[in-house]
Amino acid sequence: MERLNHSRVPEFVLLGLTDSPELQIFFFVAFSIFYLMTMLGNCLILFTVLSTSNLHSPMFFLLSNLSLIDICLSSFATPKMIMDFFAHHKTISFEGCISQIFLLHLFTGTEIVLLISMSFDRYIAICKPLYYSTIMSQKVCVGLVVTSWMVGFLHTMSQLVFILYLPFCGPNVVDSFFCDLPLVIQLACIDTYVLGIFMVSTSGVIALISFLLLLTSYIVVLVTIRGHSSIGSSKALSTCTSHFIVVLMFFGPCIFIYMWPFTNFLLDKILSVFYTIFTPFLNPLIYTLRNQEVRTAVKKKISNQYFSFGKINPHYTVKGLERSRE
């Protein structure tokens, strides 16, 4: 990387979300809670799916991988943002900035393909139920997840292959709390408007096309549901509704930011917070609150852990308390 760009700046300055000390304290507390709850919720889903035999199905296998991606997506920039609230000089190294761009597009690209895989799973389950076990085999599910990560990797490399050769020799102020392609590419010492529009809008077009495909698939599923029994259609409608809420929360900000780059609107910061912090936080809540099987399994795991904790630790049982009093 040193050979590619001798005159590059050693670091970038992140302006963050606000300069107000009062708001920084509020954001520090709020985002710390959101981040901890995000990690707890997604780790709980991962643990529940992996340790519950009746959740070893294609839908929950894909759901557990979504939780894994959400853990990664919420961790690539949020911890640094939280620590930077009390930093007087918010900086990130050139390598760290490039790494954030790499990880952001890796995780978002992977999640796009995974959400498409989840919609395909629901389409097969509802529209072709007799062939579901044959089509959505374990091999196919693993292949969908591997493909998701491969597509995410190819997407992020296609973004970085150009930016690594750009000269960054002057301005180094990024008006955000993390490095993203539309903001960093404007800091290059050459005219990158046409290249930037092409690169950034490509991500927006991919997100828009993927969203339209997902919207079409869910419309087909909803039309099919109308012909099912009331109980079955209610359960399928609940599942598809939760899936579509996740899709809308994830794709909405991405489409706006990347379809209209270089706007520098305050709304861009808000949307960046939404899909990097709020969406990973809301995903486990949506699935656990709207899915009876996951909700029941989580409650069972928590109760089992509570009772096993009491058995392992005699001081927390009734007999243990009586002995301690003696």
Side-chain angles (χ1 to χ4, degrees):
M1 196 177 292
E2 292 284 353
R3 181 177 60 85
L4 295 176
N5 196 346
H6 295 286
S7 59
R8 68 171 194 196
V9 295
E11 63 183 17
F12 291 97
V13 178
L14 301 175
L15 295 184
L17 293 176
T18 180
D19 293 329
S20 170
E22 293 79 9
L23 284 177
Q24 287 184 355
I25 294 175
F26 171 77
F27 286 148
F28 172 80
V29 175
F31 290 141
S32 296
I33 295 173
F34 275 120
Y35 180 68
L36 291 175
M37 294 298 293
T38 298
M39 298 299 291
L40 178 62
N42 285 289
C43 287
L44 183 60
I45 288 181
L46 270 175
F47 172 74
T48 302
V49 172
L50 292 176
S51 59
T52 307
S53 58
N54 64 330
L55 295 183
H56 292 173
S57 64
M59 184 181 75
F60 294 112
F61 174 74
L62 297 175
L63 172 60
S64 63
N65 280 274
L66 178 64
S67 294
L68 176 62
I69 296 175
D70 283 337
I71 291 173
C72 298
L73 185 59
S74 62
S75 299
F76 87 97
T78 305
K80 176 172 175 53
M81 178 193 67
I82 293 172
M83 292 186 295
D84 281 348
F85 281 128
F86 294 110
H88 295 289
H89 195 53
K90 303 176 180 65
T91 61
I92 185 172
S93 66
F94 182 88
E95 292 80 6
C97 185
I98 297 299
S99 297
Q100 283 192 342
I101 296 174
F102 173 83
L103 293 174
L104 172 64
H105 287 270
L106 171 65
F107 299 142
T108 52
T110 302
E111 185 158 342
I112 285 175
V113 181
L114 187 62
L115 290 173
I116 293 175
S117 301
M118 293 175 69
S119 71
F120 175 73
D121 169 75
R122 290 301 86 203
Y123 170 79
I124 298 298
I126 296 171
C127 300
K128 300 181 182 295
L130 298 179
Y131 301 97
Y132 181 73
S133 58
T134 302
I135 297 176
M136 296 302 296
S137 62
Q138 182 179 4
K139 183 178 180 180
V140 171
C141 292
V142 173
L144 289 173
V145 172
V146 172
T147 301
S148 300
W149 285 99
M150 289 179 61
V151 171
F153 178 77
L154 292 175
H155 167 67
T156 192
M157 290 305 298
S158 68
Q159 302 295 302
L160 289 184
V161 70
F162 294 104
I163 197 172
L164 287 176
Y165 284 88
L166 294 177
F168 294 93
C169 53
N172 66 336
V173 178
V174 179
D175 190 12
S176 184
F177 62 94
F178 68 92
C179 291
D180 197 4
L181 192 63
L183 300 174
V184 174
I185 201 171
Q186 297 180 76
L187 303 179
C189 298
I190 59 174
D191 185 7
T192 59
Y193 183 78
V194 176
L195 177 63
I197 288 291
F198 171 75
M199 291 174 60
V200 178
S201 298
T202 299
S203 298
V205 171
I206 292 174
L208 179 60
I209 293 175
S210 300
F211 175 75
L212 293 177
L213 287 175
L214 287 166
L215 180 62
T216 303
S217 69
Y218 283 118
I219 290 175
V220 172
V221 168
L222 291 175
V223 171
T224 306
I225 288 175
R226 295 179 59 185
H228 288 194
S229 63
S230 58
I231 299 177
S233 61
S234 177
K235 182 178 179 180
L237 180 61
S238 176
T239 302
C240 290
T241 301
S242 63
H243 282 211
F244 188 73
I245 291 173
V246 171
V247 167
L248 191 61
M249 290 191 308
F250 178 78
F251 280 96
C254 291
I255 292 173
F256 183 89
I257 291 174
Y258 291 102
M259 285 294 291
W260 293 277
F262 312 138
T263 53
N264 287 325
F265 292 148
L266 176 63
L267 184 59
D268 287 357
K269 283 188 179 182
I270 299 174
L271 293 177
S272 296
V273 169
F274 197 87
Y275 79 86
T276 58
I277 298 175
F278 290 154
T279 301
F281 167 75
L282 293 173
N283 280 355
L285 294 179
I286 291 172
Y287 280 108
T288 53
L289 290 177
R290 298 190 63 88
N291 191 289
Q292 181 64 36
E293 293 174 274
V294 176
R295 189 165 63 246
T296 302
V298 168
K299 289 180 179 179
K300 187 176 180 180
K301 288 297 176 183
I302 293 176
S303 62
N304 288 343
Q305 289 297 317
Y306 174 79
F307 286 117
S308 63
F309 179 77
K311 292 178 182 179
I312 294 173
N313 297 272
H315 290 289
Y316 291 91
T317 62
V318 175
K319 293 181 179 180
L321 290 174
E322 292 176 352
R323 291 173 184 172
S324 63
R325 289 173 183 174
E326 294 175 358

